[in-house]
Amino acid sequence: MNDNLHTDKTCTDIPKHKKLKLGLALFLLGFTGILSLLTVSIPFPEEALKIFSPAALKLLSLIQPSVLLLVAVVTGTALYEKVGLSVPTISSLLKIETPRIRFFSQFKHGALFGIAASLLVMIISFIFSSAIPDEPVGNKMELTPIARFCYGGITEELLMRFGFMTFIVWIVSRITKKLNRATCLTGIVVSALLFALGHFPVVFVVIPHPTVWLLAYILIGNSIAGIAFGWLYWKKGLESAFVAHVFFHAVVIISNLIHNYI
């Protein structure tokens, strides 16, 4: 079997104006997730509240994720086709290209992987339960269900998979001069690990001397879902990663409701 996943010939298949339409659609989709953060109660510092009202601070807090989303969408739109990745269902709806995978397949695999990833993370949490502080790590805001589904399920996937993972796969392919399974798997794992490592600064701020077990839990727990979502993006298309992330949060919410009820 040929290990190559893509050829340079297909890199120019989609005209620039159609890619622009796809990028705009994905940005608007991701921006709805950013707007969902307005439903979240954010613990702003007292110093900031002396200058701005809570409503103004909430609006200002949307600037950074909006800029990051714009960068991710521009990057992903420019590179995703060059590295053999796809956004089949949305591309089909926008009449940009014929989808390679039907949405039913995307939904089915996304649901299965999302549920499996959430259950696996719960098992990891149980194994590392003695290392996890009783109080939440960091000055965390409690995400509402709509923010979990819209921001977590869609915006985070556009940031981490469509933007960051696509870029990593492209960089690795440029360095190695190859675009094969190893290249894509490297992008999946690296993007998931860097996302997990991004949680470490908060931990060290809140806990001066975190244990190795706590750091291992944060690294493993945050990497598992990212690897699953990345694999789906590679094999089934970006929409499948959306579905998986939404189902991941749905299982977590249901689990918390059952735990609180019991």
Side-chain angles (χ1 to χ4, degrees), residues 29-30 32-34 36 145-156 246:
L29 189 63
T32 60
I34 292 175
S36 73
I146 190 172
R148 286 178 180 271
F149 295 144
C150 295
Y151 184 82
I154 296 175
T155 309
E156 282 190 358
V246 168

Side-chain angles (χ1 to χ4, degrees), residues 47 121 133 190:
E47 294 77 8
V121 169
V190 169

Side-chain angles (χ1 to χ4, degrees), residues 111 113-123 125 140 142-145 148-149 217 221-222 225 229 243-261:
F113 272 72
I115 293 171
S118 62
L119 294 177
L120 187 54
V121 169
M122 289 180 191
I123 293 172
S125 299
K140 284 190 174 181
E142 185 65 29
L143 293 180
T144 60
R148 286 178 180 271
F149 295 144
Y217 162 70
N222 284 287
F229 303 154
V243 173
H245 206 143
V246 168
F247 268 84
F248 180 92
H249 282 297
V251 173
V252 171
I253 290 171
I254 292 171
S255 175
N256 290 338
L257 289 174
I258 293 173
H259 181 268
N260 293 334
Y261 180 76

Side-chain angles (χ1 to χ4, degrees), residues 17 27-28 56 69 74-77 104 171 174 203-204 208 228 244 249-250:
H17 72 278
F27 179 81
L28 292 175
L69 175 65
V74 170
T75 302
T77 303
F104 177 76
I171 283 290
R174 296 295 95 185
V203 177
F204 280 98
H249 282 297

Side-chain angles (χ1 to χ4, degrees), residues 9-11 37 50 56 58 66 69 81 107 118 122 126 133 139 170 174 181 188 196 198 229 242 250:
K9 182 179 179 181
T10 59
C11 293
L37 294 177
K50 292 178 181 178
K58 267 195 174 184
S66 298
L69 175 65
E81 194 191 14
F107 184 87
S118 62
M122 289 180 191
F126 177 77
N139 189 20
W170 180 78
R174 296 295 95 185
R181 286 168 178 78
I188 291 169
F229 303 154
F242 289 164

